[in-house]
């Protein structure tokens, strides 16, 4: 398992990002055969599979892709739009509409930057914590499937 080398306050975004990155790298080291995760669902709170939930392979690939963005930064807007256009054109249009809406708001001077910062910061913090837990769950489930549970 990757060890955190930097020390930041517990709720610091950098700490959460480092923890997420470490968990994803741990998941990648443990999951030697990702195709075993296809069609395997995470169990719900009561041991049942969640209806219409993605399989573990989908989580595995999503967590790895997000980790690349966390560690290396966002793609330039043109590259991101080209990537999204490849399979998710509808979501790209929604994102573009939201971006245009934000531009309209900033042009009219209605943005409260500090409030927006805190909203996005807390949302990002929450999402990274949730994704870290998903990486731990994928790792644990793979270990159970392959008999590696300690």
């Amino acid at each position: 398992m990757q060890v955190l080398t930097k020390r930041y306050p517990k709720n610091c975004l950098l700490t959460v990002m480092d923890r997420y990155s470490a968990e994803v790298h741990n998941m990648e080291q443990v999951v030697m055969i990702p195709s075993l995760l296809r069609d395997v669902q995470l169990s719900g709170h009561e041991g049942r599979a969640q209806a219409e939930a993605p399989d573990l392979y989908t989580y595995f690939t999503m967590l790895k892709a997000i980790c690349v963005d966390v560690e290396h930064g966002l793609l330039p807007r043109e590259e991101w739009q080209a990537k999204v256009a490849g399979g998710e054109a509808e979501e790209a249009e929604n994102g573009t509409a939201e971006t245009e809406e934000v531009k309209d708001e900033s042009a009219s001077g209605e943005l409260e930057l500090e409030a927006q910062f805190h909203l996005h910061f807390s949302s990002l913090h929450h999402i990274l914590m949730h994704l870290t837990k998903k990486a731990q769950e994928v790792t644990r489930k793979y270990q159970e499937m392959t008999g590696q549970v300690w």
Side-chain angles (χ1 to χ4, degrees):
M1 177 173 184
Q2 186 173 354
V3 177
L4 298 177
T5 56
K6 300 175 187 172
R7 296 287 180 215
Y8 300 108
K10 182 179 179 181
N11 287 326
C12 175
L13 183 60
L14 296 173
T15 301
V16 175
M17 291 169 62
D18 284 346
R19 193 176 306 128
Y20 171 70
S21 180
E23 283 299 331
V24 171
H25 289 293
N26 182 51
M27 177 186 72
E28 288 179 299
Q29 290 176 354
V30 170
V31 178
M32 301 302 286
I33 307 171
S35 61
L36 288 177
L37 300 171
R38 289 194 188 277
D39 300 325
V40 176
Q41 302 292 318
L42 280 176
S43 296
H45 294 291
E46 299 170 3
R48 298 182 303 244
Q50 299 171 357
E52 300 181 22
D55 63 5
L56 292 180
Y57 183 79
T58 303
Y59 278 122
F60 178 81
T61 55
M62 175 193 65
L63 292 164
K64 283 178 47 177
I66 292 171
C67 191
V68 170
D69 289 342
V70 167
E71 292 177 343
H72 301 287
L74 294 173
L75 290 173
R77 184 173 182 190
E78 297 79 24
E79 289 181 37
W80 178 81
Q81 286 176 333
K83 179 180 176 181
V84 171
E88 302 170 1
E90 183 177 318
E91 287 183 28
E93 289 173 11
N94 292 340
T96 302
E98 289 174 8
T99 302
E100 289 171 1
E101 184 178 300
V102 169
K103 285 181 185 177
D104 291 342
E105 287 178 4
S106 67
S108 65
E110 295 178 21
L111 292 179
E112 296 178 20
L113 293 177
E114 186 176 3
Q116 281 193 348
F117 170 78
H118 287 290
L119 172 68
H120 291 295
F121 181 83
S122 64
S123 296
L124 180 59
H125 190 277
H126 174 75
I127 289 168
L128 285 170
M129 298 277 289
H130 182 75
L131 291 174
T132 300
K133 289 178 184 174
K134 287 295 181 191
Q136 292 168 343
E137 290 176 19
V138 169
T139 303
R140 180 190 50 77
K141 187 68 173 181
Y142 182 85
Q143 288 174 326
E144 287 177 6
M145 291 170 48
T146 59
Q148 298 176 21
V149 178
W150 301 316

